mmCIF file of all heavy atoms in Angstrom:
data_model
loop_
_atom_site.group_PDB
_atom_site.id
_atom_site.type_symbol
_atom_site.label_atom_id
_atom_site.label_comp_id
_atom_site.label_asym_id
_atom_site.label_seq_id
_atom_site.Cartn_x
_atom_site.Cartn_y
_atom_site.Cartn_z
ATOM 1 N N VAL A 231 18.371 12.878 -8.471
ATOM 2 C CA VAL A 231 18.825 12.166 -7.271
ATOM 3 C C VAL A 231 17.832 12.312 -6.114
ATOM 4 O O VAL A 231 17.520 11.323 -5.438
ATOM 5 C CB VAL A 231 20.236 12.650 -6.863
ATOM 6 C CG1 VAL A 231 20.645 12.051 -5.512
ATOM 7 C CG2 VAL A 231 21.256 12.278 -7.924
ATOM 8 N N PRO A 232 17.295 13.520 -5.843
ATOM 9 C CA PRO A 232 16.302 13.611 -4.757
ATOM 10 C C PRO A 232 15.071 12.741 -4.988
ATOM 11 O O PRO A 232 14.543 12.149 -4.046
ATOM 12 C CB PRO A 232 15.931 15.108 -4.752
ATOM 13 C CG PRO A 232 17.121 15.798 -5.324
ATOM 14 C CD PRO A 232 17.648 14.857 -6.362
ATOM 15 N N ILE A 233 14.614 12.637 -6.233
ATOM 16 C CA ILE A 233 13.466 11.771 -6.533
ATOM 17 C C ILE A 233 13.849 10.316 -6.326
ATOM 18 O O ILE A 233 13.066 9.508 -5.791
ATOM 19 C CB ILE A 233 12.985 12.006 -7.976
ATOM 20 C CG1 ILE A 233 12.464 13.439 -8.158
ATOM 21 C CG2 ILE A 233 11.913 10.996 -8.359
ATOM 22 C CD1 ILE A 233 11.221 13.754 -7.349
ATOM 23 N N LEU A 234 15.077 9.956 -6.700
ATOM 24 C CA LEU A 234 15.541 8.576 -6.565
ATOM 25 C C LEU A 234 15.630 8.163 -5.099
ATOM 26 O O LEU A 234 15.260 7.041 -4.728
ATOM 27 C CB LEU A 234 16.904 8.414 -7.246
ATOM 28 C CG LEU A 234 17.481 7.002 -7.327
ATOM 29 C CD1 LEU A 234 16.660 6.142 -8.260
ATOM 30 C CD2 LEU A 234 18.932 7.045 -7.787
ATOM 31 N N THR A 235 16.112 9.075 -4.252
ATOM 32 C CA THR A 235 16.291 8.749 -2.835
ATOM 33 C C THR A 235 15.031 8.993 -2.017
ATOM 34 O O THR A 235 14.937 8.540 -0.870
ATOM 35 C CB THR A 235 17.440 9.583 -2.239
ATOM 36 O OG1 THR A 235 17.140 10.986 -2.382
ATOM 37 C CG2 THR A 235 18.746 9.268 -2.944
ATOM 38 N N GLY A 236 14.067 9.722 -2.587
ATOM 39 C CA GLY A 236 12.844 10.035 -1.851
ATOM 40 C C GLY A 236 12.963 11.244 -0.948
ATOM 41 O O GLY A 236 12.027 11.565 -0.210
ATOM 42 N N LYS A 237 14.092 11.953 -1.004
ATOM 43 C CA LYS A 237 14.300 13.138 -0.164
ATOM 44 C C LYS A 237 14.147 14.396 -1.017
ATOM 45 O O LYS A 237 15.072 15.194 -1.159
ATOM 46 C CB LYS A 237 15.686 13.090 0.483
ATOM 47 C CG LYS A 237 15.895 11.879 1.389
ATOM 48 C CD LYS A 237 17.301 11.843 1.965
ATOM 49 C CE LYS A 237 17.499 10.624 2.856
ATOM 50 N NZ LYS A 237 18.883 10.560 3.407
ATOM 51 N N PHE A 238 12.962 14.564 -1.601
ATOM 52 C CA PHE A 238 12.754 15.667 -2.531
ATOM 53 C C PHE A 238 11.900 16.761 -1.902
ATOM 54 O O PHE A 238 11.099 16.516 -1.003
ATOM 55 C CB PHE A 238 12.097 15.178 -3.828
ATOM 56 C CG PHE A 238 10.856 14.355 -3.614
ATOM 57 C CD1 PHE A 238 9.620 14.959 -3.419
ATOM 58 C CD2 PHE A 238 10.913 12.968 -3.601
ATOM 59 C CE1 PHE A 238 8.474 14.216 -3.229
ATOM 60 C CE2 PHE A 238 9.777 12.203 -3.411
ATOM 61 C CZ PHE A 238 8.558 12.832 -3.231
ATOM 62 N N THR A 239 12.090 17.976 -2.404
ATOM 63 C CA THR A 239 11.264 19.111 -2.011
ATOM 64 C C THR A 239 10.102 19.235 -2.986
ATOM 65 O O THR A 239 10.032 18.522 -4.000
ATOM 66 C CB THR A 239 12.087 20.398 -2.024
ATOM 67 O OG1 THR A 239 12.525 20.649 -3.377
ATOM 68 C CG2 THR A 239 13.313 20.282 -1.122
ATOM 69 N N ASP A 240 9.189 20.161 -2.696
ATOM 70 C CA ASP A 240 8.085 20.400 -3.624
ATOM 71 C C ASP A 240 8.597 20.850 -4.986
ATOM 72 O O ASP A 240 8.044 20.483 -6.023
ATOM 73 C CB ASP A 240 7.143 21.465 -3.049
ATOM 74 C CG ASP A 240 6.348 20.932 -1.870
ATOM 75 O OD1 ASP A 240 6.153 19.699 -1.803
ATOM 76 O OD2 ASP A 240 5.935 21.729 -1.022
ATOM 77 N N GLU A 241 9.677 21.644 -4.969
ATOM 78 C CA GLU A 241 10.248 22.120 -6.235
ATOM 79 C C GLU A 241 10.864 20.970 -7.029
ATOM 80 O O GLU A 241 10.746 20.919 -8.263
ATOM 81 C CB GLU A 241 11.302 23.200 -5.952
ATOM 82 C CG GLU A 241 10.751 24.532 -5.470
ATOM 83 C CD GLU A 241 10.245 24.471 -4.032
ATOM 84 O OE1 GLU A 241 10.688 23.549 -3.288
ATOM 85 O OE2 GLU A 241 9.400 25.310 -3.668
ATOM 86 N N ASP A 242 11.528 20.046 -6.335
ATOM 87 C CA ASP A 242 12.107 18.874 -7.005
ATOM 88 C C ASP A 242 11.013 18.044 -7.669
ATOM 89 O O ASP A 242 11.157 17.607 -8.823
ATOM 90 C CB ASP A 242 12.870 17.993 -6.004
ATOM 91 C CG ASP A 242 14.112 18.653 -5.457
ATOM 92 O OD1 ASP A 242 14.717 19.458 -6.182
ATOM 93 O OD2 ASP A 242 14.472 18.379 -4.295
ATOM 94 N N TYR A 243 9.923 17.831 -6.939
ATOM 95 C CA TYR A 243 8.842 17.007 -7.497
ATOM 96 C C TYR A 243 8.150 17.726 -8.643
ATOM 97 O O TYR A 243 7.756 17.093 -9.630
ATOM 98 C CB TYR A 243 7.826 16.640 -6.417
ATOM 99 C CG TYR A 243 6.823 15.604 -6.903
ATOM 100 C CD1 TYR A 243 7.099 14.248 -6.775
ATOM 101 C CD2 TYR A 243 5.646 15.994 -7.524
ATOM 102 C CE1 TYR A 243 6.204 13.299 -7.246
ATOM 103 C CE2 TYR A 243 4.747 15.041 -7.998
ATOM 104 C CZ TYR A 243 5.029 13.707 -7.846
ATOM 105 O OH TYR A 243 4.151 12.772 -8.327
ATOM 106 N N GLN A 244 7.990 19.039 -8.522
ATOM 107 C CA GLN A 244 7.354 19.802 -9.598
ATOM 108 C C GLN A 244 8.157 19.683 -10.892
ATOM 109 O O GLN A 244 7.598 19.503 -11.981
ATOM 110 C CB GLN A 244 7.229 21.272 -9.190
ATOM 111 C CG GLN A 244 6.446 22.141 -10.174
ATOM 112 C CD GLN A 244 4.977 21.793 -10.199
ATOM 113 O OE1 GLN A 244 4.441 21.276 -9.217
ATOM 114 N NE2 GLN A 244 4.318 22.056 -11.305
ATOM 115 N N ALA A 245 9.495 19.763 -10.773
ATOM 116 C CA ALA A 245 10.354 19.617 -11.954
ATOM 117 C C ALA A 245 10.245 18.212 -12.533
ATOM 118 O O ALA A 245 10.175 18.030 -13.755
ATOM 119 C CB ALA A 245 11.802 19.932 -11.577
ATOM 120 N N PHE A 246 10.229 17.201 -11.675
ATOM 121 C CA PHE A 246 10.081 15.804 -12.111
ATOM 122 C C PHE A 246 8.733 15.601 -12.799
ATOM 123 O O PHE A 246 8.644 14.936 -13.841
ATOM 124 C CB PHE A 246 10.216 14.891 -10.884
ATOM 125 C CG PHE A 246 9.906 13.443 -11.150
ATOM 126 C CD1 PHE A 246 10.616 12.715 -12.090
ATOM 127 C CD2 PHE A 246 8.906 12.800 -10.429
ATOM 128 C CE1 PHE A 246 10.332 11.378 -12.324
ATOM 129 C CE2 PHE A 246 8.619 11.466 -10.655
ATOM 130 C CZ PHE A 246 9.328 10.751 -11.603
ATOM 131 N N TYR A 247 7.695 16.194 -12.232
ATOM 132 C CA TYR A 247 6.353 16.066 -12.811
ATOM 133 C C TYR A 247 6.303 16.692 -14.205
ATOM 134 O O TYR A 247 5.819 16.068 -15.162
ATOM 135 C CB TYR A 247 5.327 16.720 -11.890
ATOM 136 C CG TYR A 247 3.936 16.737 -12.473
ATOM 137 C CD1 TYR A 247 3.122 15.607 -12.412
ATOM 138 C CD2 TYR A 247 3.436 17.869 -13.112
ATOM 139 C CE1 TYR A 247 1.849 15.614 -12.964
ATOM 140 C CE2 TYR A 247 2.166 17.886 -13.659
ATOM 141 C CZ TYR A 247 1.373 16.753 -13.581
ATOM 142 O OH TYR A 247 0.128 16.759 -14.147
ATOM 143 N N GLU A 248 6.798 17.909 -14.336
ATOM 144 C CA GLU A 248 6.696 18.609 -15.620
ATOM 145 C C GLU A 248 7.601 17.994 -16.683
ATOM 146 O O GLU A 248 7.238 17.961 -17.858
ATOM 147 C CB GLU A 248 7.035 20.090 -15.423
ATOM 148 C CG GLU A 248 6.001 20.833 -14.571
ATOM 149 C CD GLU A 248 6.338 22.301 -14.394
ATOM 150 O OE1 GLU A 248 7.372 22.744 -14.961
ATOM 151 O OE2 GLU A 248 5.587 23.004 -13.705
ATOM 152 N N LYS A 249 8.768 17.506 -16.283
ATOM 153 C CA LYS A 249 9.717 16.960 -17.270
ATOM 154 C C LYS A 249 9.393 15.529 -17.674
ATOM 155 O O LYS A 249 9.462 15.173 -18.848
ATOM 156 C CB LYS A 249 11.140 17.024 -16.696
ATOM 157 C CG LYS A 249 12.201 16.379 -17.583
ATOM 158 C CD LYS A 249 13.563 16.485 -16.956
ATOM 159 C CE LYS A 249 14.613 15.703 -17.748
ATOM 160 N NZ LYS A 249 14.723 16.111 -19.144
ATOM 161 N N THR A 250 9.000 14.687 -16.706
ATOM 162 C CA THR A 250 8.888 13.244 -16.955
ATOM 163 C C THR A 250 7.457 12.738 -16.916
ATOM 164 O O THR A 250 7.027 11.995 -17.805
ATOM 165 C CB THR A 250 9.740 12.473 -15.931
ATOM 166 O OG1 THR A 250 11.083 12.968 -15.985
ATOM 167 C CG2 THR A 250 9.733 10.988 -16.222
ATOM 168 N N LEU A 251 6.701 13.114 -15.894
ATOM 169 C CA LEU A 251 5.376 12.538 -15.707
ATOM 170 C C LEU A 251 4.322 13.177 -16.596
ATOM 171 O O LEU A 251 3.475 12.472 -17.164
ATOM 172 C CB LEU A 251 4.949 12.651 -14.238
ATOM 173 C CG LEU A 251 5.816 11.934 -13.203
ATOM 174 C CD1 LEU A 251 5.216 12.093 -11.822
ATOM 175 C CD2 LEU A 251 5.965 10.460 -13.552
ATOM 176 N N GLU A 252 4.340 14.487 -16.721
ATOM 177 C CA GLU A 252 3.275 15.165 -17.454
ATOM 178 C C GLU A 252 3.172 14.735 -18.915
ATOM 179 O O GLU A 252 2.071 14.465 -19.413
ATOM 180 C CB GLU A 252 3.444 16.684 -17.356
ATOM 181 C CG GLU A 252 2.240 17.461 -17.872
ATOM 182 C CD GLU A 252 2.348 18.944 -17.607
ATOM 183 O OE1 GLU A 252 3.485 19.458 -17.542
ATOM 184 O OE2 GLU A 252 1.300 19.599 -17.482
ATOM 185 N N PRO A 253 4.295 14.629 -19.665
ATOM 186 C CA PRO A 253 4.174 14.122 -21.044
ATOM 187 C C PRO A 253 3.586 12.714 -21.102
ATOM 188 O O PRO A 253 2.832 12.393 -22.020
ATOM 189 C CB PRO A 253 5.627 14.137 -21.551
ATOM 190 C CG PRO A 253 6.325 15.135 -20.698
ATOM 191 C CD PRO A 253 5.686 15.033 -19.354
ATOM 192 N N LEU A 254 3.927 11.887 -20.106
ATOM 193 C CA LEU A 254 3.409 10.529 -20.055
ATOM 194 C C LEU A 254 1.906 10.527 -19.765
ATOM 195 O O LEU A 254 1.144 9.749 -20.355
ATOM 196 C CB LEU A 254 4.162 9.742 -18.985
ATOM 197 C CG LEU A 254 4.035 8.229 -18.961
ATOM 198 C CD1 LEU A 254 4.301 7.624 -20.338
ATOM 199 C CD2 LEU A 254 4.993 7.641 -17.930
ATOM 200 N N ILE A 255 1.469 11.408 -18.887
ATOM 201 C CA ILE A 255 0.047 11.522 -18.560
ATOM 202 C C ILE A 255 -0.750 11.986 -19.776
ATOM 203 O O ILE A 255 -1.843 11.486 -20.052
ATOM 204 C CB ILE A 255 -0.142 12.487 -17.373
ATOM 205 C CG1 ILE A 255 0.444 11.869 -16.096
ATOM 206 C CG2 ILE A 255 -1.614 12.817 -17.157
ATOM 207 C CD1 ILE A 255 0.515 12.819 -14.924
ATOM 208 N N ILE A 256 -0.194 12.932 -20.530
ATOM 209 C CA ILE A 256 -0.855 13.402 -21.751
ATOM 210 C C ILE A 256 -0.955 12.269 -22.771
ATOM 211 O O ILE A 256 -1.990 12.077 -23.419
ATOM 212 C CB ILE A 256 -0.094 14.607 -22.346
ATOM 213 C CG1 ILE A 256 -0.198 15.813 -21.399
ATOM 214 C CG2 ILE A 256 -0.631 14.968 -23.725
ATOM 215 C CD1 ILE A 256 0.671 16.982 -21.800
ATOM 216 N N THR A 257 0.125 11.482 -22.902
ATOM 217 C CA THR A 257 0.125 10.343 -23.822
ATOM 218 C C THR A 257 -0.968 9.344 -23.454
ATOM 219 O O THR A 257 -1.701 8.852 -24.320
ATOM 220 C CB THR A 257 1.499 9.647 -23.796
ATOM 221 O OG1 THR A 257 2.489 10.549 -24.266
ATOM 222 C CG2 THR A 257 1.502 8.413 -24.675
ATOM 223 N N LEU A 258 -1.082 9.043 -22.162
ATOM 224 C CA LEU A 258 -2.105 8.102 -21.708
ATOM 225 C C LEU A 258 -3.506 8.618 -22.023
ATOM 226 O O LEU A 258 -4.343 7.891 -22.574
ATOM 227 C CB LEU A 258 -1.967 7.862 -20.202
ATOM 228 C CG LEU A 258 -0.757 7.059 -19.733
ATOM 229 C CD1 LEU A 258 -0.589 7.166 -18.221
ATOM 230 C CD2 LEU A 258 -0.877 5.600 -20.147
ATOM 231 N N GLY A 259 -3.776 9.865 -21.692
ATOM 232 C CA GLY A 259 -5.107 10.425 -21.906
ATOM 233 C C GLY A 259 -5.510 10.446 -23.368
ATOM 234 O O GLY A 259 -6.619 10.033 -23.733
ATOM 235 N N GLN A 260 -4.601 10.913 -24.228
ATOM 236 C CA GLN A 260 -4.930 11.011 -25.649
ATOM 237 C C GLN A 260 -5.021 9.634 -26.299
ATOM 238 O O GLN A 260 -5.869 9.403 -27.162
ATOM 239 C CB GLN A 260 -3.878 11.871 -26.356
ATOM 240 C CG GLN A 260 -3.920 13.331 -25.926
ATOM 241 C CD GLN A 260 -2.871 14.181 -26.621
ATOM 242 O OE1 GLN A 260 -1.993 13.674 -27.327
ATOM 243 N NE2 GLN A 260 -2.952 15.485 -26.423
ATOM 244 N N GLY A 261 -4.140 8.696 -25.890
ATOM 245 C CA GLY A 261 -4.171 7.358 -26.467
ATOM 246 C C GLY A 261 -5.453 6.614 -26.121
ATOM 247 O O GLY A 261 -6.071 5.978 -26.988
ATOM 248 N N PHE A 262 -5.890 6.692 -24.870
ATOM 249 C CA PHE A 262 -7.128 6.039 -24.453
ATOM 250 C C PHE A 262 -8.344 6.693 -25.114
ATOM 251 O O PHE A 262 -9.256 6.007 -25.579
ATOM 252 C CB PHE A 262 -7.263 6.084 -22.930
ATOM 253 C CG PHE A 262 -6.569 4.960 -22.224
ATOM 254 C CD1 PHE A 262 -5.180 4.894 -22.183
ATOM 255 C CD2 PHE A 262 -7.291 3.966 -21.591
ATOM 256 C CE1 PHE A 262 -4.534 3.859 -21.528
ATOM 257 C CE2 PHE A 262 -6.658 2.923 -20.925
ATOM 258 C CZ PHE A 262 -5.268 2.863 -20.899
ATOM 259 N N SER A 263 -8.367 8.016 -25.148
ATOM 260 C CA SER A 263 -9.519 8.732 -25.723
ATOM 261 C C SER A 263 -9.674 8.429 -27.209
ATOM 262 O O SER A 263 -10.784 8.213 -27.699
ATOM 263 C CB SER A 263 -9.352 10.242 -25.505
ATOM 264 O OG SER A 263 -9.276 10.561 -24.132
ATOM 265 N N LYS A 264 -8.562 8.399 -27.928
ATOM 266 C CA LYS A 264 -8.597 8.164 -29.371
ATOM 267 C C LYS A 264 -9.206 6.810 -29.714
ATOM 268 O O LYS A 264 -9.924 6.665 -30.706
ATOM 269 C CB LYS A 264 -7.176 8.263 -29.927
ATOM 270 C CG LYS A 264 -7.023 7.916 -31.402
ATOM 271 C CD LYS A 264 -5.582 8.080 -31.826
ATOM 272 C CE LYS A 264 -5.372 7.653 -33.269
ATOM 273 N NZ LYS A 264 -5.527 6.206 -33.459
ATOM 274 N N CYS A 265 -8.919 5.796 -28.868
ATOM 275 C CA CYS A 265 -9.389 4.444 -29.160
ATOM 276 C C CYS A 265 -10.795 4.181 -28.632
ATOM 277 O O CYS A 265 -11.596 3.525 -29.308
ATOM 278 C CB CYS A 265 -8.412 3.421 -28.572
ATOM 279 S SG CYS A 265 -8.915 1.703 -28.803
ATOM 280 N N LEU A 266 -11.103 4.676 -27.451
ATOM 281 C CA LEU A 266 -12.349 4.292 -26.784
ATOM 282 C C LEU A 266 -13.574 5.066 -27.272
ATOM 283 O O LEU A 266 -14.706 4.633 -27.039
ATOM 284 C CB LEU A 266 -12.212 4.463 -25.265
ATOM 285 C CG LEU A 266 -11.161 3.585 -24.575
ATOM 286 C CD1 LEU A 266 -11.134 3.862 -23.082
ATOM 287 C CD2 LEU A 266 -11.424 2.102 -24.835
ATOM 288 N N PHE A 267 -13.371 6.198 -27.957
ATOM 289 C CA PHE A 267 -14.510 7.014 -28.371
ATOM 290 C C PHE A 267 -14.517 7.206 -29.885
ATOM 291 O O PHE A 267 -13.465 7.308 -30.522
ATOM 292 C CB PHE A 267 -14.468 8.392 -27.692
ATOM 293 C CG PHE A 267 -14.494 8.312 -26.191
ATOM 294 C CD1 PHE A 267 -13.420 8.770 -25.443
ATOM 295 C CD2 PHE A 267 -15.585 7.772 -25.523
ATOM 296 C CE1 PHE A 267 -13.430 8.699 -24.070
ATOM 297 C CE2 PHE A 267 -15.606 7.703 -24.135
ATOM 298 C CZ PHE A 267 -14.524 8.158 -23.411
ATOM 299 N N SER A 268 -15.723 7.268 -30.424
ATOM 300 C CA SER A 268 -15.875 7.560 -31.853
ATOM 301 C C SER A 268 -15.653 9.055 -32.079
ATOM 302 O O SER A 268 -15.574 9.846 -31.130
ATOM 303 C CB SER A 268 -17.279 7.158 -32.313
ATOM 304 O OG SER A 268 -18.259 7.971 -31.659
ATOM 305 N N LEU A 269 -15.562 9.437 -33.350
ATOM 306 C CA LEU A 269 -15.363 10.856 -33.670
ATOM 307 C C LEU A 269 -16.527 11.698 -33.144
ATOM 308 O O LEU A 269 -16.333 12.814 -32.654
ATOM 309 C CB LEU A 269 -15.215 11.032 -35.185
ATOM 310 C CG LEU A 269 -13.950 10.440 -35.815
ATOM 311 C CD1 LEU A 269 -13.973 10.643 -37.324
ATOM 312 C CD2 LEU A 269 -12.697 11.077 -35.205
#
């Protein structure tokens, strides 16, 4: 709810980052690297 309303603390954002954003960021990095570079 704090992330949804924009009234979040640093701790709220840290939890949102680790739970939701970080796995997505890892997916993006590995997916792009796997395709754009040779072995």
